[in-house]
Amino acid sequence: MRVAVIGLGGTGSAAARFLAEAKHTVIAYEQFAVGHARGSSHGESRIIRKTYPDSFLTAMMGEAYELWSALEKEAGEELFVRTGGLYFGPRDLPELRAVENALVEQNVPFSILSQADVAARFPAIKLERDEVAILQADSGFLRASRVVTANVALAKRHGVVVRDETLVREIANRGDSVVVTTADGTTDEFDAALVTAGPWTQKVFAAAPLPLRVSRQEIVYLEIATNADRLAPSRCPVWIDATTHHYG
C-alpha cells in the first residue's frame, strides 16, 4: 500500500517506521521541523509504567515494553531510563487497590511500602502518615524528544520519505483513494492516510470536523536547589499521586 502519515510526533514517527518495515510505501508529513517543541511529544521525559487501575492497560504495557526495547536496540541509544516507580495514596483508596489488583492479575511483581519505608529508601519523596506506595521496578521514563528523532531516523532508513515543514491543508476521499493537499496546493494520492496530528487534527479535517476538544497540559521542569543527588535516576523513582494525579 501507499500510505500517508500526517504528523511526526511520538505516534506518527513510530507508525511511519512500522509501516515501512512492513514494506509499505510511506510519505510522512510534518508541518514543523522534526523534533519541534510545539506538540505533546517533545521534552526530556515522559513516564512509562505498568501501574494502571485497569488490567487491560497493564497487559498492553507488557507488549509495549518489548517494542521500546527493540527501538533502543535498533537506534543504538538509551531511550528508556528504568528508575522504578511509586504509585501512592491513602491506604484505603480504591484506585490504589485497583492498581494492585491489576498487577496481581498480570503477574507483574511489586511491593507495598509504608511511609517510613519510602522515607528510608527515597528521601526526596515524603508521603503523608496514612499513605502507602506501590513500588514497581519496571517503571521509568522515556527520553521523549530523542524517541521521536530516533523513530524518524529509522523510518528514513527503511525508506520513508519525510516532508517536514510541509503543512497538510486537506485530506479527501476520491473513489478508493485518499488525496492529500498541502498548503502550497500540491496534491498526492494514497491508498490510505494515517492522521496523527494531535491538536491540529481538526484543521486537517476542516471539511468534516471531528468531535475533538483541545486542552492545554502543563509540563514543568524545575531546577534542583539542594540535595540534587537525592533526585538522581538511581535514587529517585518516577512517581504518581493517586489522589491528585500529579506525577513526576
Side-chain angles (χ1 to χ4, degrees):
M1 292 180 66
R2 194 165 190 268
V3 184
V5 176
I6 292 91
L8 281 176
T11 302
S13 62
R17 170 175 154 244
F18 281 114
L19 284 165
E21 287 178 353
K23 306 304 181 185
H24 296 290
T25 299
V26 181
I27 296 179
Y29 297 86
E30 169 55 55
Q31 65 175 322
F32 305 118
V34 170
H36 67 86
R38 304 186 193 186
S40 59
S41 296
H42 71 281
E44 294 299 317
S45 60
R46 292 291 187 280
I47 285 180
I48 182 170
R49 58 193 167 102
K50 296 179 180 178
T51 47
Y52 286 92
D54 183 330
S55 180
F56 173 78
L57 294 177
T58 300
M60 187 168 68
M61 290 308 297
E63 298 183 25
Y65 271 53
E66 295 178 7
L67 296 172
W68 284 117
S69 295
L71 173 60
E72 279 191 310
K73 183 177 180 179
E74 189 175 358
E77 62 176 312
E78 182 192 54
L79 300 170
F80 180 169
V81 181
R82 289 165 173 78
T83 62
L86 295 178
Y87 203 108
F88 58 82
R91 189 181 304 273
D92 58 353
L93 189 70
E95 183 172 316
L96 212 61
R97 299 286 71 81
V99 171
E100 184 176 347
N101 291 339
L103 293 171
V104 170
E105 186 174 329
Q106 297 301 326
N107 297 311
V108 176
F110 67 95
S111 55
I112 304 293
L113 304 185
S114 66
Q115 178 200 37
D117 294 332
V118 171
R121 294 184 60 175
F122 310 113
I125 298 177
K126 303 186 187 305
L127 302 191
E128 299 295 336
R129 188 182 303 276
D130 67 333
E131 291 185 320
V132 297
I134 296 172
L135 173 63
Q136 210 291 305
D138 296 327
S139 300
F141 65 86
L142 299 165
R143 299 191 183 280
S145 289
R146 282 165 52 180
V147 163
V148 173
T149 54
N151 263 324
V152 171
L154 293 174
K156 288 180 177 179
R157 189 183 303 172
H158 289 290
V160 173
V161 175
V162 173
R163 295 179 179 168
D164 61 346
E165 299 188 348
T166 302
L167 175 66
V168 170
R169 186 70 70 194
E170 184 183 32
I171 301 174
N173 289 322
R174 181 183 294 167
D176 294 330
S177 299
V178 177
V179 176
V180 173
T181 303
T182 57
D184 64 1
T186 301
T187 61
D188 206 344
E189 201 164 321
F190 298 89
D191 298 301
L194 178 64
V195 179
T196 50
W200 295 278
T201 300
Q202 285 283 45
K203 293 184 178 180
V204 177
F205 291 108
L210 299 173
L212 303 176
R213 180 176 62 87
V214 176
S215 64
R216 182 176 182 175
Q217 305 296 319
E218 296 284 357
I219 305 296
V220 179
Y221 294 92
L222 304 175
E223 183 177 359
I224 303 169
T226 59
N227 298 314
D229 60 308
R230 294 185 177 184
L231 291 166
S234 60
R235 297 195 63 196
C236 184
V238 298
W239 55 268
I240 299 174
D241 185 332
T243 302
T244 64
H245 293 135
H246 295 158
Y247 58 91

